[in-house]
Amino acid sequence: KLDEAALQKVFLKSLENYINWCNYLCITPVWSSLEAVSKEKKLLYVSLYLLIWGEASNVRFLPECLCYIFHHFSCINLIDNIGLNLLSGGPNANKQ
C-alpha cells in the first residue's frame, strides 16, 4: 500500500523543477489538475522523471532539458498507454 501523503511529498519534491519550468513558460503540466492525478500516475510520473534523470548523463546539469524531455515523453500518453498496463498486470489482466 502506498501512503498518499508520502507519495504526494515525493511527487512534489521530485517534480518541483518541472512545475516551475511549466509556470515560467506559461504552459500547463502534463496533468490538468494535481488533485485528479491518481496515486498510480503520480508514482509513474516520478519514476519516468527519475529514469530520464538517471540516463541523462551530462544533460542532468541542464534541468530545463530534463523538463523538456519529461514533458514530451509524458505528452505522448506513455503514462496512460504503457504505465497503467504495467501496474494492472499487463494489457490482458482483466480479460478472461
Side-chain angles (χ1 to χ4, degrees):
K1 271 191 145 182
L2 291 173
D3 179 28
E4 182 68 37
L7 181 59
Q8 180 74 4
K9 193 176 213 181
V10 170
F11 177 82
L12 291 175
K13 184 66 176 171
S14 298
L15 296 173
E16 178 181 19
N17 191 45
Y18 170 71
I19 295 167
N20 291 337
W21 178 79
C22 288
N23 289 336
Y24 179 76
L25 293 177
C26 299
I27 59 174
T28 51
V30 292
W31 52 82
S32 56
S33 168
L34 196 55
E35 293 79 27
V37 180
S38 68
K39 289 190 303 187
E40 291 82 9
K41 279 191 175 184
K42 286 179 185 175
L43 185 61
L44 288 169
Y45 283 133
V46 170
S47 299
L48 176 62
Y49 188 82
L50 292 176
L51 285 170
I52 292 169
W53 182 86
E55 292 294 327
S57 189
N58 290 333
V59 178
R60 78 176 61 135
F61 300 113
L62 301 168
E64 57 278 352
C65 289
L66 289 177
C67 293
Y68 177 82
I69 294 167
F70 173 79
H71 185 79
H72 286 283
F73 262 93
S74 298
C75 283
I76 60 171
N77 292 323
L78 182 69
I79 298 298
D80 290 331
N81 294 335
I82 297 171
L84 294 179
N85 285 333
L86 292 174
L87 287 176
S88 67
N92 298 322
N94 295 327
K95 294 182 181 177
Q96 294 182 2

